[in-house]
């Protein structure tokens, strides 16, 4: 299992950054290798990804979500991974977005990529593209402001 942590500061208010991140079906516009995400219900998503010529499909569940603060998830099937995206207000028009992910690479290509730092660079690139995406738009494409309590709470 590898842990990846990446940070990007975006020039939009925290609510704009958070709202855009809740629009999972828009992820293919800025995430490399993500071909499709379908929102199945308020807490479940279905992903189609492509890495090293291999297409994978899996489901993930949002395990915790609090507006303008955090979105946490875990995979239900396919590659074993979990993570959290946190949003920190720097001032009225700047937000720090932090991605922390635990990934257990599946298959030869993913394991080699992990060892060579490719996965870290991919997450860093995804956050950079998120920054460009939201700053160029200046506003979110939508938003979900619901709250998902951590399991057991």
């Amino acid at each position: 299992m590898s842990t990846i942590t990446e940070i990007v500061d975006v020039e939009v208010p925290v609510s704009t950054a958070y709202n855009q991140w809740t629009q999972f079906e828009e992820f293919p516009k800025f995430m490399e290798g993500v071909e499709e995400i379908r929102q199945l219900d308020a807490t479940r998503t279905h992903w189609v990804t492509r890495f090293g010529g291999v297409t994978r499909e899996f489901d993930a569940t949002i395990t915790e979500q609090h507006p303008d603060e955090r979105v946490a998830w875990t995979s239900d099937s396919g590659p074993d991974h979990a993570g959290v995206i946190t949003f920190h207000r720097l001032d009225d028009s700047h937000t720090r977005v932090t991605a922390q992910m635990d990934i257990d690479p599946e298959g030869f290509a993913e394991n080699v990529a992990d060892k060579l730092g490719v996965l870290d660079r991919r997450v860093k690139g995804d956050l950079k593209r998120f920054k460009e995406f939201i700053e160029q738009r200046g506003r979110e494409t939508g938003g979900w402001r619901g709250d998902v309590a951590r399991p057991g709470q």
Side-chain angles (χ1 to χ4, degrees):
M1 182 82 57
S2 294
T3 299
I4 298 170
T5 301
E6 294 293 343
I7 298 169
V8 68
D9 292 344
V10 296
E11 194 173 340
V12 296
V14 69
S15 61
T16 302
Y18 172 85
N19 286 346
Q20 184 59 58
W21 199 271
T22 66
Q23 300 306 289
F24 305 112
E25 293 180 355
E26 300 285 333
F27 282 12
K29 292 181 178 175
F30 56 86
M31 284 189 174
E32 183 182 353
V34 176
E35 294 191 352
E36 177 187 8
I37 299 177
R38 286 191 321 270
Q39 182 92 34
L40 303 175
D41 60 33
T43 60
R44 294 183 318 117
T45 55
H46 180 78
W47 293 61
V48 179
T49 62
R50 187 165 183 79
F51 185 83
V54 177
T55 299
R56 300 219 191 275
E57 292 194 39
F58 61 91
D59 293 332
T61 296
I62 297 164
T63 56
E64 185 180 10
Q65 186 166 340
H66 306 293
D68 299 341
E69 293 178 14
R70 67 192 295 116
V71 178
W73 74 92
T74 188
S75 60
D76 300 327
S77 61
D80 187 20
H81 64 90
V84 62
I85 305 296
T86 55
F87 303 86
H88 305 276
R89 180 188 176 279
L90 299 175
D91 61 34
D92 288 347
S93 60
H94 294 86
T95 302
R96 177 160 293 151
V97 180
T98 303
Q100 295 173 296
M101 299 170 37
D102 290 326
I103 300 173
D104 191 6
E106 184 178 276
F108 179 76
E110 289 93 340
N111 275 290
V112 169
D114 181 40
K115 301 287 186 259
L116 295 175
V118 173
L119 298 179
D120 286 12
R121 288 191 299 279
R122 182 173 275 193
V123 173
K124 184 177 195 129
D126 290 345
L127 285 182
K128 180 180 179 236
R129 286 183 294 278
F130 173 75
K131 173 184 175 67
E132 293 165 356
F133 179 82
I134 193 63
E135 287 180 357
Q136 286 175 359
R137 289 187 53 79
R139 65 188 191 330
E140 60 271 39
T141 60
W144 188 73
R145 306 290 297 172
D147 198 74
V148 177
R150 189 173 20 182
Q153 285 191 325

